[in-house]
Amino acid sequence: MRYAPLLLLPTLLLASCHGQNTPTVTTYTSTSGTVRELGTPGANDMVAPTTAWTGGAGTIQATVADAGTQGATSASLASNGTFTLPLPTNVKTRSLSSDEFTLPGSEELGCAGTPTVSDPAARFAVLDVNVSAGKQGPVDPVRISFTGTVNAPTGLSIESGAFLYADRPVSITGTQTCTLTESGETYTLTSSLNMTLGQGWNKVTATEIINDSGASLNLTSGTFPTEEWVYLDGSALTSAAVHRAASKLPAGLKPFKFSDLR
C-alpha cells in the first residue's frame, strides 16, 4: 500500500461557526525579528540551540506562492540579522475544501474525526520568507527539541510557525485520529486543529511530535513558537535528526511542512 505523506494536513486553519460572534484576532501588516542559525547541541542538550547570524547584511523577502513579483515585499537585513519586513498586500488566495484538512488518503488509514470549517468559501495563502545575503535560503520561526539523546532520539518535537492569510474571519476546529498497522506494528497519527483567523495575515504554529508509537500534529493560531527566524539550509542537525525520527514511521509517511501547503 502506498501511504500519503504524514500530516500534509493543510495547515490553512480557521474556526468559528456561522451565526456566532468571531473572537477578536490580531492580524499583521509587518513583522520584525532576528535571523539566527541552528547550532550544534551538546551531548546533553534536549533543545537545539541557535547561534548568531553569520551571513552578513543583505535583504529579506516575503512572497506569496504563485503571485509573482506582485505578491512580494522586501526589506533590509542588518549584518546582525535584525529586520522589519512589511507583509504583502496583494495576496493571491486559494480555496480549500474540508477534505484538505484531513490526512491525504485517510480512507486507507482507518481515520476517525473530521475538522469543522466555519466558512467553506474562505480563501487562504501561506507566506514564504527568504534571506539573500552571504547565505541564501528560507527562514522560519522554528524550535526543535528531543527526547532520548541527540544522537539517538526516542522522539522529536518540531515547532514551526508561518504567516497564514485569510480573506475573511474564519476558523477550523477538530481532531482526527488515524491508526495504521505495518509489519506487526501499530501506529497512531493524531491531528488536532484549533485555529481562529482574522481577515489578513495571521500567526500560526504547527507542533509535531514523532516517536516510536506514531506522530501527533497540533495546529494553533495567534503566536509563533519563537520570535527568532531560523536559517536551516545546510544544517546537518536538522536533516539528520528529522531523518532519524521519521525513520520510526512506516515507509511513505513524512513530517509535516508548511511549505507543502504553499
Side-chain angles (χ1 to χ4, degrees):
M1 181 184 298
R2 183 177 182 273
Y3 300 108
L6 168 66
L7 306 179
L8 220 179
L9 224 154
T11 228
L12 313 170
L13 308 320
L14 10 316
S16 128
C17 301
H18 290 299
Q20 296 183 357
N21 293 329
T22 301
T24 300
V25 176
T26 300
T27 57
Y28 297 82
T29 58
S30 66
T31 187
S32 298
T34 302
V35 175
R36 302 271 293 177
E37 297 179 23
L38 196 63
T40 301
N44 298 318
D45 288 342
M46 291 295 97
V47 178
T50 61
T51 61
W53 169 245
T54 60
T59 59
I60 184 166
Q61 185 178 53
T63 58
V64 178
D66 301 324
T69 57
Q70 292 183 341
T73 58
S74 63
S76 296
L77 177 69
S79 59
N80 65 356
T82 57
F83 66 90
T84 297
L85 176 66
L87 303 182
T89 56
N90 184 0
V91 181
K92 183 176 181 179
T93 58
R94 67 186 185 96
S95 60
L96 294 168
S97 68
S98 60
D99 290 343
E100 292 181 90
F101 293 94
T102 63
L103 292 172
S106 59
E107 69 281 355
E108 299 181 24
L109 297 180
C111 298
T114 302
T116 301
V117 179
S118 65
D119 188 345
R123 297 176 65 88
F124 307 92
V126 180
L127 197 67
D128 287 310
V129 180
N130 290 267
V131 293
S132 179
K135 297 180 178 182
Q136 301 184 36
V139 292
D140 294 293
V142 173
R143 182 164 54 198
I144 300 173
S145 58
F146 310 88
T147 57
T149 66
V150 173
N151 291 324
T154 57
L156 175 71
S157 172
I158 304 173
E159 300 169 86
S160 58
F163 276 108
L164 175 65
Y165 184 90
D167 71 347
R168 68 196 70 192
V170 64
S171 60
I172 183 172
T173 58
T175 300
Q176 182 185 74
T177 300
C178 307
T179 57
L180 170 65
T181 300
E182 182 177 277
S183 301
E185 298 289 336
T186 299
Y187 302 89
T188 300
L189 314 175
T190 301
S191 302
S192 178
L193 312 179
N194 185 17
M195 309 285 293
T196 301
L197 306 178
Q199 182 178 358
W201 288 108
N202 300 261
K203 289 182 177 181
V204 296
T205 292
T207 301
E208 184 171 15
I209 298 174
I210 303 171
N211 54 39
D212 289 328
S213 61
S216 65
L217 175 68
N218 187 32
L219 293 162
T220 58
S221 58
T223 61
F224 286 156
T226 175
E227 293 303 318
E228 295 178 346
W229 289 73
V230 183
Y231 175 82
L232 297 175
D233 271 17
S235 168
L237 168 65
T238 303
S239 58
V242 171
H243 174 76
R244 281 194 296 269
S247 68
K248 299 175 181 296
L249 297 172
L253 299 179
K254 65 180 183 180
F256 168 87
K257 295 187 296 181
F258 276 112
S259 59
D260 288 331
L261 301 169
R262 296 176 174 130

